[in-house]
Amino acid sequence: QKPKMAEQPLSALLPQSVLASINSSLLRRKSAPDSRGVYQPLCCRQLLGAKQPMPDAGFFIDDTEVELVKMVGVLRGEGNQASQTRCTLEDHTGAIEFLRYHEHADEAAMLASLCSERKYVAVYGKIGTFEGRRRVQAQHVAGLVDSNELTYHLLQIIQAWIYRKGLPKKHEDEEPLRKLNKFQKRVVSVVQTVEECSETEGASYADICQVLQPAYTEFEIRDTLEYLVDEAFLFNTCSDHHYAVATRISDT
């Protein structure tokens, strides 16, 4: 039975057919009471660089203790025995020793096949050391059934890293529109006002020009609209000539 994983909000990025074949393994926030009980998505380089203060102590990555891990890579080597498989798990960041004690006879053949075919596998296990070498003792191994699972795992690694590091803090006095000049703010304000009268399709280019002309030329208006779209202050709605605001201007 596959390990139970934490809820993963990135699941919306993948088709349901793919999600049905993989486990969620979202790292809990750093403030969680104990992060050791969660399978944390990692790459080989992170595991090899994990800090261990003492020989019998736990492993730490970004000041977070790590015990259970989820990895995706390729198994290499011919270390199959009747009771266990010893080989190497490789990804594009490095390689780490892999150990799996077989639960049944068919598992040895399955792992031998995965090693010989050089297929990507998802590994859930526990990090440890043996004779001074870092290794992963696998608790569950499964071949990937869709290439999107590798992308999904990489996204999990990035998201877990963000949680461990902490999201960047935004200054309370930061004003999103502060970087705009007076005319650019005027255009955003006009689009916002016109859009409120036409919520289904946004503010049309003709309506915007009708408000701003003749004080501003058509070239100035078009050029400013393009800039505001490129900088994500505005976005196009039903056509390239209809606009809505992404960052609203307060009435106060």
Side-chain angles (χ1 to χ4, degrees), residues 61-80:
I61 298 177
D62 300 323
D63 298 324
T64 301
E65 187 169 3
V66 175
E67 183 176 358
L68 300 177
V69 300
K70 177 203 171 187
M71 305 182 69
V72 173
V74 176
L75 296 178
R76 299 184 185 276
E78 303 295 337
N80 287 62

Side-chain angles (χ1 to χ4, degrees), residues 85-177:
T85 294
R86 289 179 182 270
C87 58
T88 301
L89 177 67
E90 296 182 0
D91 59 19
H92 290 290
T93 68
I96 193 168
E97 185 175 320
F98 168 94
L99 172 65
R100 169 63 178 170
Y101 290 104
H102 304 152
E103 294 182 352
H104 47 78
D106 294 340
E107 187 173 18
M110 182 268 290
L111 290 174
S113 175
L114 290 173
C115 287
S116 63
E117 295 177 7
R118 301 290 192 266
K119 289 185 176 180
Y120 275 92
V121 297
V123 175
Y124 300 86
K126 186 175 181 180
I127 184 175
T129 57
F130 178 72
E131 296 181 349
R133 301 189 305 272
R134 197 71 51 88
R135 76 177 181 186
V136 173
Q137 182 172 329
Q139 298 170 335
H140 176 77
V141 183
L144 302 191
V145 298
D146 192 295
S147 59
N148 284 324
E149 296 180 51
L150 176 58
T151 303
Y152 185 70
H153 177 69
L154 297 176
L155 291 172
Q156 289 179 313
I157 291 176
I158 295 171
Q159 189 178 45
W161 178 83
I162 292 174
Y163 279 138
R164 286 196 300 270
K165 289 290 188 180
L167 296 175
K169 294 181 180 179
K170 183 177 180 180
H171 298 294
E172 293 181 358
D173 60 345
E174 183 177 349
E175 171 57 52
L177 300 174

Side-chain angles (χ1 to χ4, degrees), residues 181-217:
N181 61 35
K182 185 176 180 180
F183 176 55
Q184 291 167 343
K185 290 180 180 179
R186 169 65 173 155
V187 173
V188 173
S189 178
V190 169
V191 172
Q192 178 175 316
T193 302
V194 176
E195 178 194 2
E196 290 172 352
C197 301
S198 179
E199 295 181 355
T200 56
E201 59 181 22
S204 70
Y205 176 72
D207 290 337
I208 297 170
C209 288
Q210 185 175 1
V211 175
L212 295 174
Q213 289 179 329
Y216 301 97
T217 66

